[in-house]
């Protein structure tokens, strides 16, 4: 009985980190595949301005989300990518807190892509309402978020990364992926 209670206590103490385990692919792989994904968006250049702005949505009060943001920042810095699809690229970290007006933040920063970190107690509808209204592509490393309405994400099939596309969400965000990409990806409905 003592062992069982000790095990339950151990699991309960680690439960807050569980959402970070939802990411199946490492951050460098996610970042590289995001670059490839953008080449297959036929509407990209009509949706974005003079630069491509990627907004990293995270929660600073959730350790797994904060760690993701910090690791992604390291990957971005090491990659030293100044341009994507012939457009200058800029990254903006956006902390999702209760009082934030996501639409205002997206408009002020001219965000073209929401890169969504692992989150706790955030409905994807909060993000997709803004992304669809402002035509912002949503991307994540958490496969369940694509099933919940984000446009694209990275999962795995065996040991290999696998692109996930929610076609209905992509269309609502003004994204038109090429047929070639859709044949290669797992379509999520």
């Amino acid at each position: 009985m003592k062992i069982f209670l000790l095990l339950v206590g151990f699991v309960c103490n680690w439960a807050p980190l569980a959402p970070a385990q939802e990411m199946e692919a490492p951050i460098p792989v996610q970042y590289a595949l995001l670059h490839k994904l953008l080449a297959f968006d036929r509407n990209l250049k009509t949706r974005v301005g003079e630069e491509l702005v990627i907004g990293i949505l995270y929660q600073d009060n959730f350790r797994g989300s904060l760690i993701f943001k910090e690791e992604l920042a390291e990957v971005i810095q090491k990659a030293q990518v100044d341009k994507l699809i012939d457009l200058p690229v800029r990254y903006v970290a956006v902390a999702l807190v209760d009082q934030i007006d996501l639409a205002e933040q997206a408009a002020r920063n001219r965000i073209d892509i929401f890169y969504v970190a692992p989150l706790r107690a955030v409905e994807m509808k909060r993000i997709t309402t803004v992304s669809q209204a402002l035509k912002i592509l949503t991307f994540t490393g958490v496969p369940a978020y694509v099933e919940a309405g984000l446009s694209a994400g990275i999962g795995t099939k065996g040991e290999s990364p696998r692109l996930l596309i929610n076609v209905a969400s992509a269309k609502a965000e003004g994204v038109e992926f090429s047929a070639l990409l859709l044949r290669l990806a797992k379509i999520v409905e």
Side-chain angles (χ1 to χ4, degrees):
M1 184 65 169
K2 284 184 180 181
I3 293 174
F4 175 74
L5 292 174
L6 196 62
L7 182 59
V8 168
F10 178 77
V11 169
C12 289
N13 285 333
W14 285 98
L17 298 178
Q21 300 301 317
E22 294 176 14
M23 289 192 318
E24 296 177 1
I27 294 170
V29 172
Q30 293 176 35
Y31 182 69
L33 288 175
L34 172 61
H35 290 206
K36 301 253 186 240
L37 173 82
L38 295 175
F40 291 95
D41 177 3
R42 294 178 180 161
N43 294 338
L44 181 68
K45 290 194 178 179
T46 59
R47 276 196 347 272
V48 304
E50 295 178 9
E51 69 178 345
L52 181 65
V53 182
I54 300 174
I56 303 163
L57 305 185
Y58 75 101
Q59 292 174 306
D60 58 4
N61 62 350
F62 171 41
R63 187 170 182 250
S65 189
L66 185 59
I67 288 171
F68 170 86
K69 183 206 55 133
E70 291 169 357
E71 287 181 11
L72 180 58
E74 287 178 28
V75 168
I76 291 167
Q77 183 180 19
K78 287 179 184 175
Q80 297 181 350
V81 175
D82 294 335
K83 287 189 172 188
L84 287 175
I85 318 299
D86 296 327
L87 292 168
V89 65
R90 179 170 55 97
Y91 300 88
V92 177
V94 178
L96 288 177
V97 292
D98 291 337
Q99 66 274 16
I100 191 170
D101 182 341
L102 187 56
E104 188 273 328
Q105 285 287 320
R108 181 165 26 105
N109 289 297
R110 298 184 186 139
I111 295 175
D112 302 301
I113 300 169
F114 283 150
Y115 194 147
V116 182
L119 304 171
R120 181 185 295 151
V122 175
E123 290 186 37
M124 291 301 108
K125 189 75 173 160
R126 177 179 178 196
I127 296 168
T128 59
T129 298
V130 174
S131 67
Q132 291 173 8
L134 299 178
K135 303 304 181 205
I136 297 171
L137 168 70
T138 50
F139 179 83
T140 186
V142 182
Y145 294 173
V146 179
E147 293 171 8
L150 299 189
S151 290
I154 304 297
T156 56
K157 183 177 182 182
E159 296 293 316
S160 301
R162 184 177 206 183
L163 186 60
L164 309 170
I165 303 287
N166 184 320
V167 177
S169 294
K171 285 182 182 179
E173 292 172 357
V175 177
E176 184 184 344
F177 289 121
S178 73
L180 174 61
L181 180 74
L182 295 176
R183 282 195 300 271
L184 297 173
K186 177 183 177 188
I187 305 302
V188 177
E189 299 191 31

